[in-house]
Amino acid sequence: MEKYAEIALMFLKAFAVGGAICTAAQVVINFTKLTSGRILVFFMLAGVALEALGLYGYLVEFAGAGATVPISGFGYLLARGAMRGAERGLFGALTGALSAASAGVTAAIVFAFLFALVFKARSKKN
């Protein structure tokens, strides 16, 4: 029973942190005139900045997927890869971010291609 309580707590923490990040984004959408692209970049750069300060890693440790799934988690992943790659020099810093994010980006491209083959695209009707 203790194992199930631990799993439930893990899910609760992920939901709370991921929900807080998404709530913050929704508040920005509702109360500003920022475009979706700018908000996306803002949150990604927030993940980069928090990782540069050494703070986002603690959030990932605490919440797991609740912190890594939102776009700020992608910024964290890029910054973490760049910092690890920087140990090998400037070229390592440039390629470290790409190699850290390559699995996720590749999966997104492959699944998008497969869904494009299966489903027929159509435009929205206003």
Side-chain angles (χ1 to χ4, degrees):
M1 192 66 176
E2 183 178 310
K3 181 179 178 181
Y4 294 116
E6 188 177 316
I7 292 171
L9 181 63
M10 180 182 63
F11 278 111
L12 182 64
K13 290 189 292 188
F15 180 77
V17 171
I21 293 170
C22 293
T23 300
Q26 190 63 49
V27 167
V28 171
I29 289 169
N30 289 348
F31 295 109
T32 67
K33 294 190 185 271
L34 292 174
T35 62
S36 298
R38 289 181 186 208
I39 295 169
L40 179 109
V41 169
F42 173 73
F43 274 87
M44 191 186 74
L45 291 176
V48 170
L50 288 173
E51 177 57 19
L53 295 172
L55 301 174
Y56 208 88
Y58 295 118
L59 192 61
V60 169
E61 254 181 61
F62 175 75
T68 58
V69 170
I71 192 69
S72 56
F74 183 67
Y76 152 77
L77 182 67
L78 290 175
R80 191 168 128 228
M83 289 190 302
R84 285 190 178 167
E87 295 170 357
R88 297 182 307 242
L90 179 61
F91 187 71
L94 296 173
T95 59
L98 298 175
S99 63
S102 63
V105 172
T106 301
I109 291 169
V110 168
F111 285 118
F113 177 71
L114 292 175
F115 279 106
L117 291 176
V118 173
F119 297 102
K120 182 180 177 185
R122 58 180 181 218
S123 62
K124 287 175 113 180
K125 295 181 182 176
N126 293 330

